[in-house]
Amino acid sequence: MAEGDDRTLLEVRHLSVLIETREGMIRPVSDVSFAIGRGEAVALVGESGSGKTLTGLSLLCLFPPGATVPSGEILFEGQDLLRLDAAALRMIRGQRISMIFQEPQSALNPVLTIGTQISELFKSHTDLPDSQVRERVIERLRSAGLPDPERVFKSYPHQLSGGMRQRVMIAMAIALDPHLVIADEPTTALDPTVALQILALLSSIRESRTKGLLFISHDLAHVRRVSDRVLVMYAGRIVEDSPASRFFGDGPLHPYSLALLSSRPSGTGETGRETPLPAILGQVPPLWNLPPGCAFAPRCPRADDRCRTDQPPWQSEGASGALCFYPHHSPLGAPQHVA
Amino acid sequence: MSPESSPLLETRGLVREFDLPGGGLFGRRKTLTAVSDVSFSIGKGEILGLVGESGSGKTTIGRMVMRLLDPTRGQVIFDGLDLTRLSGRSLRRQRRRFQMVFQDPYASLNPRMRAGEIVGEPLLIHGLAPSVRERREKVSRLLERVGLSGHDLERYPREFSGGGRQRIGIARAIACQPDLLVADEPIASLDLSIGAQIINLFSSLNKTERMSLLFISHDLSVIRYLSDRVVVLYRGRMVESGPTRTVLDAPVHPYTRLLAGTSSGTPSETQNGAGEPSASLCPFLTRCPEALPVCRESMPPSLENSESGRQVLCHLVAGHSSWKSSASPSLIQGSP
Ligand SMILES: Nc1ncnc2c1ncn2[C@@H]1O[C@H](COP(=O)(O)OP(=O)(O)O)[C@@H](O)[C@H]1O
Ligand code: SF4
Ligand code: SF4
Ligand SMILES: [Mg+2]
C-alpha cells in the first residue's frame, strides 16, 4: 500500500527492537515491516518467543525495560508513533489503539466493579457528562455480546466466567472506538466453544470499514476463522505475509509456514496415529545464538549451503511474500543441488 | 478395539467434591462437585481421550486415577484391583504400573536435579536398577527412547527447551515400564512445531511398548488423531462417550456438536437464563441451543447404544429405540 493511501491504517517499516540480556544482545523484533488496512484483520502467527507480543506492544510504543529501537517507523494514520512524546502517546493508547490480552484476569482490577473500570475510561479520555457514562458503558457491554449488561456492570471480575471476562476486555478495548485493536492470544485460556464466539466478535470489529485488527495467535484454526491476511514470525523476523485465502488455499510460500500447517492433525482426516504427523524436527534456536544465514535453515527440508551462510531475501509473488531463497510456488523452486 | 478379557483400568461412579473456602454465611459448608458419576474403562493397549473445557474436571479425574487424590465416592479398578482400597505398601507396589505426564514441564521437574537423576529416580525407588552403572545405562536408553541423548544426563531442566523438558517428564514416566500413562494436556504448553513431535512419541509408545494411555486434552483434533475412544466432559459430568470417529463424526450431545462444529445452533453464553446451572438439571442447560421443555424439569437420563458402544447424557434421544437407559455402573456393580 502506498504512503498516504487513506485505506492504510498502520504501516510498520523496518522496525527493530534490541534488548540487552544476560546471554547477550538479542533482536526479538528484527527488521519487521507490514501494513494493516482499514477494515482488515491481520493475523500474526508464531511460536512462543518468536516476537509476536513484542511486536504488538511496539505498536503502542510499549517496550520492555532496557530495550532500544535502533531503526524503524510505525506510521499510524500517517503519524510516526516513534516520534511522539509521552503525552501524545497516552492519548493514542486506549483511545485510538487498544490491546486485548490473553489473561483477562490479569488486566482487570479485582477490587473494582466492571462498571467502575469501564466508566473510568470515559471519564479520563472523554468529556462525556457523568450522567451519560453509565448508559454508554452498558451499551458497550451489550455490543460485546454480554447478555445481561446491567448485571455485569455491577459485577466484580471474579463473579464472571472466563468467556464473559474476555468479553468485558473486548468491551473495554472498543469502548472509546479505537481504530486499531490488537488482540494477543485472546482465546487461549478459553473453552473451545466460547473461543469461537469470541473470534466471531473480534472479526466483527473490522466490519466497520474504518477499523483494523491485529490478531496474535499460535492457533492456525483460529487464524483461519478471523483473518484476511497472515503474517508468520520466526525468531524475530516476519518470514511470510500472505492473504489468508492463499495461505490456507493454495498453501503458504515459506517452508516454515507449510511445515506448521501440515504438522497439525487436520481434525477431519481419516488418518489416525498409524501415520506419524509430519513433525518439524529440532527446535527454535535461541535468539542469542541464531545460526548465520536463514534462522530456519537447521530445520528446513529445502535448505542448501547458501541458506546456511546468507540472509535470505524477501521474495514477493502477487500479494504474497516470503523471506526465503526457495519459497514454495516460486519459479526458482527448491534448490537443485539438494541432497 | 475388541473388548479384551477385562479392561486395564476402570472407573466406577467417580465423584469428587471440594470444600469451598469460607463456607456460607451461617457456617454451612459449601462444596463444589468437580467430578460427578464418571465411569469409563481403558483396554490394554488402548488410547482413551478425555476432552472438555478448562475446569470441567479432567485434571481431577486424572489425579484420582493416579491415586494422587482420593475420590469422594466411587472406585478406580486397575487390572482387577480396587486401588481405592489399597494403601501403604500394596499401593506402592502397584504404583510403578501407572504413571503421569504433566501439562507443565517447567513446574513438574525438580530444578535442582539433573535430567539423569530425574529419570533415574523412579528406578531407584522401585529398586529396578540398583547399581549406579546399571541405572546410568538404563537412563541413557530412556533418554534416547524419548528423542534426547545420553549427553543430556548431566543437564538441568532449565537448560532444556519446553519440548525437551516434556521429553524428560515422559522418560521419567516410562522408566518403570508402566502399563498405563495418564497424560494431562501434555502438549498444551508446548510450541507449535514441538507438539507434533510429542504426539508422535506418544503414539509410538502405544504402538511399540503397548502402553495404554489416558490422554487429556481440550484439543479435539489431537484427540481425534490419537485416541480410540473419547469421553466428553462438561462441568464434571460425562455427557458423551464412545469410539472417537463415531462420536466426533456424528455427535449426539449438543455440547459435543458445538465442539465438533456440526451444530447448526449458535452457541450462547446464556441461552436459558444466566447464572449457575442447577445441580438437579442438565449441566449444559444454560448454554444449550436445543433444550426441550423437559430439560427444565428433570435431569437427563444416561443412555446407551450398545451396538455402537456409545453413551450420552441428554433428553434429546430419550425414547429412541437404539438408545436404552444405562444404569450407572456404580449402582449395579458390587465390590469384588
Ligand atoms: N484442590 C481443589 N480445591 C478446590 N477446588 C478445586 C481443586 N482442584 C480442582 N478444583 C475445582 O474443580 C473443578 C475441576 O477442575 P479441574 O479438574 O482442574 O478441571 P480441568 O482439568 O478440566 O481444567 C474446577 O472448578 C476447579 O476449580
Ligand atoms: S531460505 Fe533456505 S533454509 Fe530458509 S526457509 Fe528458505 S529454503 Fe529453507
Ligand atoms: S438434556 Fe436438554 S439441555 Fe441438556 S444437552 Fe440435552 S437437550 Fe440440551
Ligand atoms: Mg487441567
Side-chain angles (χ1 to χ4, degrees), chain A residues 45-48 147-148 151 161-164 167 188-194 196-197 218-220 256 260 263-284 299, chain B residues 45-47 52-54 160-161 163-164 188 190-197 199-200 203 206-207 218-222 224-228 234 245 249 255 258-259 261 267-270 274-275 284 287:
Chain A
V45 186
E47 317 204 20
S48 65
D148 189 354
R151 188 173 70 91
S161 71
M164 291 170 97
R167 284 180 194 273
T188 324
L190 300 178
D191 163 14
T193 61
V194 177
L196 297 186
Q197 304 163 22
H218 67 262
D219 189 326
L220 289 170
Y256 173 64
L260 275 186
S263 70
R264 255 193 74 78
S266 69
T268 52
E270 279 313 302
T271 49
R273 62 178 192 261
E274 53 288 349
T275 324
L277 293 170
I280 314 174
L281 299 178
Q283 59 203 42
V284 183
R299 311 173 75 189
Chain B
E46 191 182 36
I47 301 185
E53 63 185 41
S54 76
F160 291 85
S161 64
L190 298 183
D191 267 329
L192 282 174
S193 64
I194 306 301
Q197 300 173 2
I199 293 174
N200 285 343
S203 60
N206 168 258
K207 194 168 161 192
H218 65 270
D219 186 333
L220 217 55
S221 45
V222 172
R224 184 190 177 97
Y225 170 82
L226 205 56
S227 62
D228 300 299
Y234 189 77
R245 295 284 155 79
D249 284 343
Y255 177 63
L258 286 175
L259 273 181
S268 154
E269 198 105 5
T270 45
F284 193 54
R287 285 174 58 197

Side-chain angles (χ1 to χ4, degrees), chain B residues 253-255 282-285 288 290-292 295 300 313-316:
Chain B
H253 196 279
Y255 177 63
C282 171
F284 193 54
L285 178 62
C288 182
E290 297 169 59
L292 304 169
C295 303
L313 183 78
C314 180
H315 280 297
L316 281 180

Side-chain angles (χ1 to χ4, degrees), chain A residues 301-323:
Chain A
R302 297 192 148 204
D304 69 357
D305 288 343
R306 181 155 68 140
C307 303
R308 283 183 273 269
T309 52
D310 298 349
Q311 214 15 257
W314 185 261
Q315 301 208 56
S316 309
E317 189 193 310
S320 303
L323 190 72

